[in-house]
């Protein structure tokens, strides 16, 4: 330990002062001691100098590892907290024979039909604007080419940049459909991976057992 301390870079003023003090006392009067050098040597050998250094090194690396793990946990916790905050969804619902208009923070207007639910974030974050629909709704999406608007409705995922259209997906057993009034949309079935593009006046329908869309003009 002494050699390790002496080999470390730094200021040795304090170290030198102690040595000077001991040296001065030693010159004035011989130091009296009753050290059993043989016993000390035996203890050093039995304890194992190498083992002592290894144990200290192990403790040092364990401390560093613990610090890294705690740092990662803290960063992950902060990230998850931030992510969960940004993913907090609001829910708009309608009863039988009732409809409701929801204005999203980007200016998109959603008219929710009867017996429907729309889950949406208070503020859109990331590279997309994503909402979740159960039932039927008419969307008037504000155009933003850099941030596509995505509607998740059961099996269907509808993606647009800016257009007006209707999405109907009341239950997994019923047919799901998308009808476009203006613009162009991409509709993908998450189950069969079928995908189609619709323009003004087109409707895509997919049933529970279908593996592809049925597209027609309306």
């Amino acid at each position: 330990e002494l050699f390790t301390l002496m080999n470390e870079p730094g200021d040795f003023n304090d170290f030198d002062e102690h040595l000077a003090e001991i040296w001065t006392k030693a010159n004035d009067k011989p130091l009296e001691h009753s050290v059993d050098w043989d016993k000390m040597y035996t203890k050093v050998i039995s304890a194992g100098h190498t083992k002592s250094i290894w144990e200290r090194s192990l403790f040092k690396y364990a401390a560093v590892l613990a610090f890294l793990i705690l740092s990662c946990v803290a960063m992950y916790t902060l990230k998850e907290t931030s992510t969960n905050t940004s993913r907090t969804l609001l829910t708009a619902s309608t009863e039988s024979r009732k409809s409701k208009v929801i204005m999203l923070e980007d200016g998109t207007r959603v008219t929710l039909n009867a017996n429907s639910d729309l889950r949406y974030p208070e503020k859109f974050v990331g590279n997309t604007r994503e909402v979740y629909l159960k039932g039927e709704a008419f969307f008037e999406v504000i155009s933003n080419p850099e941030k596509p608007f995505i509607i998740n409705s059961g099996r269907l995922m509808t993606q647009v940049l800016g257009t007006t259209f209707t999405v109907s997906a009341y239950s997994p057993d019923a047919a799901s459909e998308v009808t476009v009034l203006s613009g162009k949309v991409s509709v993908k079935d998450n189950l069969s991976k079928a995908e189609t593009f619709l323009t003004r006046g087109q409707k895509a329908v997919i049933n529970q057992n279908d593996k592809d869309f049925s597209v027609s003009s309306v």
Side-chain angles (χ1 to χ4, degrees):
E1 290 180 354
L2 174 64
F3 291 148
T4 301
L5 178 63
M6 293 175 65
N7 287 328
E8 290 181 354
D11 187 357
F12 297 101
N13 290 336
D14 294 338
F15 186 71
D16 292 337
E17 287 178 6
H18 286 295
L19 286 180
E21 182 181 351
I22 294 173
W23 182 259
T24 302
K25 290 181 179 180
N27 288 335
D28 295 339
K29 180 181 179 180
L31 294 176
E32 296 180 359
H33 60 78
S34 57
V35 178
D36 187 341
W37 296 107
D38 292 333
K39 185 177 180 181
M40 181 181 292
Y41 177 76
T42 303
K43 284 188 175 182
V44 170
I45 294 301
S46 63
H49 184 63
T50 303
K51 181 180 179 182
S52 179
I53 293 177
W54 181 83
E55 288 176 345
R56 289 197 298 273
S57 299
L58 181 62
F59 177 79
K60 178 178 68 177
Y61 290 122
V64 172
L65 181 61
F67 173 76
L68 291 175
I69 292 175
L70 289 174
S71 298
C72 292
V73 170
M75 291 175 65
Y76 178 80
T77 302
L78 289 174
K79 181 179 179 182
E80 282 298 302
T81 301
S82 176
T83 302
N84 290 335
T85 300
S86 65
R87 289 180 178 175
T88 300
L89 299 178
L90 306 177
T91 301
S93 303
T94 54
E95 300 175 356
S96 178
R97 293 181 292 180
K98 298 286 185 179
S99 63
K100 180 184 294 186
V101 175
I102 301 101
M103 295 296 296
L104 305 183
E105 62 95 14
D106 67 335
T108 293
R109 178 186 173 100
V110 183
T111 303
L112 202 58
N113 207 350
N115 298 320
S116 301
D117 297 314
L118 180 71
R119 293 189 296 129
Y120 59 97
E122 185 176 1
K123 183 176 179 62
F124 291 113
V125 295
N127 299 323
T128 60
R129 296 170 289 168
E130 202 158 351
V131 299
Y132 300 84
L133 172 68
K134 180 182 178 181
E136 187 176 53
F138 175 65
F139 293 85
E140 299 170 85
V141 178
I142 297 296
S143 178
N144 185 350
E146 297 180 356
K147 205 166 186 176
F149 194 93
I150 298 175
I151 303 99
N152 296 282
S153 52
R155 291 175 58 177
L156 300 186
M157 183 178 74
T158 307
Q159 179 171 321
V160 300
L161 298 179
T163 183
T164 57
F165 57 97
T166 300
V167 176
S168 180
Y170 273 102
S171 71
D173 298 328
S176 298
E177 61 182 59
V178 176
T179 306
V180 178
L181 281 77
S182 65
K184 183 179 181 179
V185 306
S186 164
V187 185
K188 182 178 180 180
D189 177 20
N190 292 320
L191 190 61
S192 66
K193 304 304 179 184
E195 186 173 8
T196 187
F197 292 90
L198 303 177
T199 57
R200 178 181 179 182
Q202 287 187 314
K203 177 172 71 172
V205 180
I206 193 165
N207 290 294
Q208 174 67 20
N209 299 321
D210 289 347
K211 294 184 178 180
D212 206 351
F213 288 100
S214 171
V215 179
S216 61
S217 297
V218 295

